[in-house]
Amino acid sequence: MSSADLADRCSLAHLMQRHLRDRPDALAIREIDGEAELTWTDVHDLGLAWAGALAGAGVSAGDCVLAMLPNSAASFVTWLGSSYLGAVDVPVNDAYRGAWLDHVIAKSRASVAIVHADYLDQWQEVITRHSLSLVVVGGDARRDDTVSGTRIFAAELFLDAAEKIAEPVFGARGDIASVLWTSGTTGPSKGVMMPWGQWWNRVVDSNYLPDVSQWPDAVMYQPWPVFHVSGRESFYRILVNGGSLRLRRRFSTSEWLSDIRRENCDWTYLVGSTPRFLLDQPARADDQDNPLKLVLFGPAPREIEEFCTRFGVEHGVTSYGLTEVNNPLNSLDYRIDEQNYWSCGKLHPNRRIRLVDEAGRDVADGEPGELLVLDERAEHKIFSGYLHDPDATEAAFIDGWFHSGDLLRRDEGGHYAFVDRRKDAIRRRGENISSFEVEAAVNSHPDVVESAAFAVPSEIVEDEVMVVILRAAESTLSAAELRSYLEKIMPKFALPRYIEFADDLPKTPNQKVRKSVLRERGITDSTWDAVAGAEAAPQPTGA
């Protein structure tokens, strides 16, 4: 069968057929801190049951089905159930409530939501404002009542009362498989409509990992939220490549290595500051004694060589991507080390991109430019647009290119480096400053765990640079000491004037810092001011 024919057989229903034929009794999913342990036959049967129950609730092809579920087997079998009807899977960030939850319910126009009992209070706050007919509740076997016309019905009762469908719907490459929401760091979340062809492109045509299909029995360790594209992808990837999943509801620094050993895991993702947290754990002589072959870092840490050596990791890779267009950049053809860790990869041979200035002109190597990605909607290789938001879709595509809003820089060797979100860039006294590069410098101090740099208003003109910092445990690092350290490694124009220490940073659950929250809060009574040499008085906030 040709690659084009395979790409036409890329829905979950298509991909399940091979597993049901070749390995029906093989383990597909196990919850490390839960109860589920499912073979491929179990997964299929549960998918048919959910499809039948959803059909009985009035769901049909093309309808959105909302799902707010923890990282669990249920999050994948419910996706399978929706797909077996030709319905659209819409996972929802489990931190959403109030106006955030109102927004995704209204945008989806869904009539049915599947919600774990742990999150039900968030839904009961907003149900009266929407026309949901049914909320199916997992984790509460007895629930059956009605709130403002919305039936709230236990999942067990919901499935028991329904009949399995006889045959699944085999979706076409251009059919919408999922709607995943953008992080909402700069405004209301947008629903990214992902067709089956885009999922296939992500895992096969534009693959950003070493060929894990060479490990047909590979075990993936997956402790990340399933409403994020990488968490959702884990199920699709084992359907394509084989292997199985080990799920932990939330990432745990203390349990990470023991989980991987006990479950014999071959590969995993690490995001944000998690590699640093793991390195900060007390070293043991047997740290290398584990089966881990591959780690995908997002982004690669400065200490990647130390990490891979300590934990015996054969392949440490990174990539750059967006939910809308997958991952056009990756590090597959070179080894990451302390000299090139800053790069998010080279261009995948199957992708076309440009870096342009504000006038739309291609920039030279070494100059930052906004990343544009070729519009491949006609081939269903990227997203199909934003759900019920034609204006945002039109604004994103100009002259045949998707405008990412991200600034990147390319060097002469073809390595790309992320510079900043265009909206997060800082301009101080005629100089453009990358908040990402400021953070990299700040994070290089051994007492800094993580930082967020952003613009605050200057009393003169343009911006001043402020950083909010998480210190290492028991550190006594002062703002003045940090500033003195930075003066030796940063250009003067980029030095942060304002420094503040905090116990945490406001984040989305997929670990992106919500800088809009920090900008809105601005300078506080506890902010250190390098100009005053003391705490700054509160000043007007905003970006």
Side-chain angles (χ1 to χ4, degrees):
M1 189 176 292
S2 70
S3 58
D5 290 334
L6 287 171
D8 284 331
R9 298 172 56 82
C10 57
S11 72
L12 294 187
H14 283 114
L15 296 171
M16 280 292 297
Q17 297 308 298
R18 175 167 63 94
H19 297 278
L20 295 172
R21 182 188 67 238
D22 297 342
R23 50 205 304 261
D25 299 323
L27 181 63
I29 301 171
R30 177 187 288 142
E31 295 175 353
I32 294 173
D33 53 353
E35 298 179 356
E37 185 168 315
L38 305 178
T39 67
W40 287 107
T41 297
D42 295 332
V43 171
H44 175 63
D45 287 345
L46 283 166
L48 293 176
W50 274 101
L54 290 168
V59 175
S60 57
D63 291 343
C64 288
V65 178
L66 296 162
M68 184 182 281
L69 297 168
N71 182 24
S72 60
S75 66
F76 298 120
V77 297
T78 54
W79 179 15
L80 188 64
S82 296
S83 74
Y84 275 3
L85 284 181
V88 180
D89 168 61
V90 187
V92 183
N93 187 320
D94 60 26
Y96 280 8
R97 63 190 319 143
W100 291 61
L101 189 50
D102 279 327
H103 175 71
V104 299
I105 295 173
K107 276 290 184 186
S108 72
R109 303 177 187 173
S111 62
V112 175
I114 306 168
V115 178
H116 192 273
D118 288 354
Y119 314 128
L120 187 56
D121 286 348
Q122 297 159 225
W123 288 75
Q124 293 193 149
E125 291 174 5
V126 304
I127 280 174
T128 57
R129 299 195 286 271
H130 299 280
S131 56
L132 289 167
S133 61
L134 176 66
V135 174
V136 182
V137 182
D140 184 348
R142 295 170 295 177
R143 189 67 184 253
D144 186 2
D145 59 2
T146 301
V147 175
S148 300
T150 300
R151 188 178 186 185
I152 302 178
F153 197 29
E156 289 185 27
L157 301 175
F158 182 60
L159 294 175
D160 288 344
E163 294 184 5
K164 295 179 182 179
I165 62 170
E167 290 289 337
V169 172
F170 291 87
R173 181 165 47 171
D175 291 343
I176 303 302
S178 314
V179 172
L180 272 69
W181 300 92
T182 60
S183 296
T185 53
T186 58
S189 298
K190 297 188 287 291
V192 179
M193 295 189 291
M194 298 181 66
W196 291 118
Q198 184 184 358
W199 281 110
W200 180 263
N201 177 270
R202 182 176 180 85
V203 171
V204 180
D205 293 339
S206 296
N207 185 29
Y208 54 95
L209 291 173
D211 189 4
V212 294
S213 65
Q214 295 178 6
W215 318 331
D217 299 316
V219 178
M220 180 190 176
Y221 182 62
Q222 209 300 87
W224 304 112
V226 287
F227 52 77
H228 182 257
V229 66
S230 60
R232 216 67 178 162
E233 176 201 303
S234 61
F235 181 58
Y236 192 88
R237 190 173 284 275
I238 65 166
L239 278 164
V240 173
N241 292 332
S244 60
L245 289 178
R246 300 295 184 271
L247 306 179
R248 176 174 282 280
R249 187 162 177 174
R250 292 182 178 86
F251 177 82
S252 168
T253 301
S254 60
E255 298 294 334
W256 180 79
L257 190 56
S258 59
D259 281 350
I260 284 170
R261 283 178 172 146
R262 183 177 58 255
E263 298 294 329
N264 202 31
C265 297
D266 297 281
W267 67 287
T268 190
Y269 300 152
L270 287 174
V271 300
S273 300
T274 52
R276 175 68 182 269
F277 296 151
L278 292 168
L279 284 173
D280 285 345
Q281 295 291 294
R284 292 175 35 170
D286 62 349
D287 278 343
Q288 287 190 346
D289 183 16
N290 69 77
L292 202 58
K293 301 181 182 73
L294 165 68
V295 174
L296 172 66
F297 296 94
R302 177 189 294 269
E303 307 91 349
I304 187 169
E305 289 182 285
E306 177 187 353
F307 185 96
C308 291
T309 298
R310 174 171 165 180
F311 296 108
V313 176
E314 298 173 20
H315 302 284
V317 296
T318 192
S319 71
Y320 163 90
L322 298 164
T323 304
E324 289 92 331
V325 294
N326 296 338
N327 295 62
L329 306 174
N330 64 62
S331 66
L332 294 186
D333 69 346
Y334 65 93
R335 188 172 184 85
I336 307 174
D337 56 30
E338 291 185 358
Q339 304 304 312
N340 61 26
Y341 76 93
W342 49 265
S343 171
C344 52
K346 293 184 176 182
L347 181 62
H348 192 287
N350 290 347
R351 307 307 300 275
R352 286 185 60 192
I353 65 174
R354 297 170 60 199
L355 299 183
V356 302
D357 61 19
E358 292 184 357
R361 298 170 299 208
D362 292 295
V363 299
D365 285 350
E367 295 296 322
E370 181 183 7
L371 174 74
L372 310 186
V373 180
L374 183 67
D375 181 359
E376 295 180 293
R377 284 177 291 175
E379 295 81 20
H380 312 299
K381 293 183 176 181
I382 63 171
F383 82 127
S384 298
Y386 295 114
L387 181 67
H388 300 141
D389 200 340
D391 291 341
T393 302
E394 183 179 0
F397 289 97
I398 302 173
D399 297 329
W401 296 87
F402 171 75
H403 287 239
S404 71
D406 283 356
L407 299 175
L408 278 76
R409 182 186 295 115
R410 180 184 185 274
D411 71 10
E412 294 179 353
H415 290 88
Y416 288 81
F418 177 80
V419 176
D420 219 335
R421 287 290 293 168
R422 183 179 288 280
K423 292 182 179 179
D424 285 340
I426 305 166
R427 187 166 179 83
R428 181 173 184 265
R429 299 178 187 176
E431 297 283 356
N432 292 316
I433 301 168
S434 160
S435 66
F436 184 79
E437 291 176 335
V438 172
E439 290 159 5
V442 173
N443 294 347
S444 70
H445 192 287
D447 281 3
V448 174
V449 173
E450 191 174 9
S451 66
F454 54 96
V456 292
S458 168
E459 64 267 53
I460 304 172
V461 70
E462 299 181 329
D463 303 320
E464 292 287 357
V465 182
M466 179 169 175
V467 290
V468 177
I469 294 163
L470 302 185
R471 281 178 292 205
E474 301 181 3
S475 169
T476 59
L477 177 69
S478 70
E481 290 169 338
L482 177 62
R483 168 79 181 206
S484 178
Y485 168 82
L486 296 174
E487 286 172 351
K488 300 178 177 67
I489 62 173
M490 292 180 67
K492 186 175 182 179
F493 68 81
L495 284 166
R497 171 177 172 179
Y498 298 108
I499 297 173
E500 185 170 322
F501 296 103
D503 294 329
D504 57 34
L505 296 174
K507 290 185 178 180
T508 65
N510 58 347
Q511 300 301 300
K512 291 187 177 180
V513 176
R514 295 177 59 199
K515 291 189 179 181
S516 58
V517 173
L518 296 174
R519 281 193 291 264
E520 183 177 353
R521 188 173 67 195
I523 300 163
T524 73
D525 290 336
S526 58
T527 304
W528 181 85
D529 180 358
V531 172
E535 291 185 353
Q539 298 181 19
T541 62

